[in-house]
Amino acid sequence: MKDVIKKLVEAWGPSGYEHHVRALIREEVEPYCDSIEVDPLGNLICTVGSGGKKVMVAAHMDEIGIMPLFREPNSGYLRFSNIGGLIQTSLLGNRVRFEDGTIGVIGAHDYFGAGRTTLADYDVFFVDVSDGNGSDNIGPGNPAAFWREMSERGTRLIAKSMDDRIGCAVAVEALRRLNKQTPNTVSVVFTVQEEVGLRGARPAAYGVDPDIGIAIDVTSTGDMIKNQKMAVRLGGGAAIKLGDTGHVVPPSIRDWMVQRAEADGIPYQLELLTLGTTDASGIQIARAGVPSGAISIPCRFVHTVSETVDLRDVEACVALLVGLVANPIEL
Ligand code: CO
Ligand code: ZN
């Protein structure tokens, strides 16, 4: 599974430009699906089974990044705006990669002074794409994603885009383990444009028309120094969401997940997130409403290039997802 994780986290795919990630995932899941479809927005919908409850599982393919807006005159510097929720203090000196492989480096105003300490707005930043020869292949309208290779430290995996390629990897692995055997109708949707407002999951949920929704996404942890108190910790197992800023999980969904985890001996913890939400909050308001929950992978340093997860938590999330959809569902 580690090979798939590496392939997915190192792939290029800022919101709205998920085509490379989609191709990689399609290749991985093709043998394990009864049908595969790409909807008009680019969501990859992979379905297995035909009876029971209709379950939509969502994991988003897109990642945060930058969108160049204009070139500063006579320079290789591009001004940019954000794609998704960038953390200003993580930008200076960071590297981005454009679709053609060009690496850009992010700089900021007043490098010798205030730029080191106070970086408030995106408009103090620029990205250097000069190649020393005056070529201008990269310009406004060419989006970039952050660039870093995956690293390992014991059971920890560290990479850009764990949000949410680790969720994609969990869903891919679940499809593989199910091997088309389920009493339910399970549509795993690899969604587009989550980071810019759940814009893929909502129309996908309308099309799939599920009875139940489950998002697979990362969640922050409360186990860092001098941070907000939060019960989730790295290594504490699959996080079963109770709620976040966009979503109150119905008690019936919570109990379904908790009982499954206990029956199968899967380590789990309960999650309440006060910053952010997931595709589940989009699915729950599709059509006449869809009871939805989420399985979250605990992750430190979310929205930096060093998003850190623990492989034991990842395994717990796969086991929980498989257990939920491989058994008859009575809700
Ligand atoms: Co995110
Ligand atoms: Zn995410």
Side-chain angles (χ1 to χ4, degrees), residues 197-208:
L198 322 172
R199 292 177 198 167
R202 284 186 185 137
Y206 189 94
V208 170

Side-chain angles (χ1 to χ4, degrees), residues 216-252:
I216 313 290
D217 207 338
V218 298
T219 190
S220 286
T221 62
D223 59 0
M224 295 186 288
I225 297 171
K226 279 201 181 183
N227 271 285
Q228 190 184 2
K229 289 201 165 57
M230 180 181 177
V232 175
R233 65 182 176 84
L234 212 61
I240 294 174
K241 191 183 290 289
L242 302 185
D244 58 33
T245 53
H247 186 193
V248 178
V249 175
S252 57

Side-chain angles (χ1 to χ4, degrees), residues 1-5 7 25 27-34 46-48 168-182 186 188 190 315 318 321-322 325-326:
M1 188 179 177
K2 229 186 281 175
D3 296 353
V4 174
I5 297 173
K7 213 190 286 182
I25 292 174
E27 201 180 290
E28 293 293 334
V29 300
E30 205 118 52
Y32 308 107
C33 298
D34 292 324
C46 309
T47 301
V48 290
C168 294
V170 165
V172 167
E173 180 65 14
L175 280 169
R176 209 180 61 77
R177 289 191 198 174
L178 278 177
N179 200 18
K180 301 187 186 181
Q181 302 305 308
T182 170
V186 182
V188 177
F190 298 93
E315 172 55 35
V318 174
L321 177 57
V322 171
V325 299

Side-chain angles (χ1 to χ4, degrees), residues 60 163-164 194-195 217-218:
H60 68 91
D163 178 10
D164 185 29
E194 190 272 352
E195 296 289 357
D217 207 338
V218 298

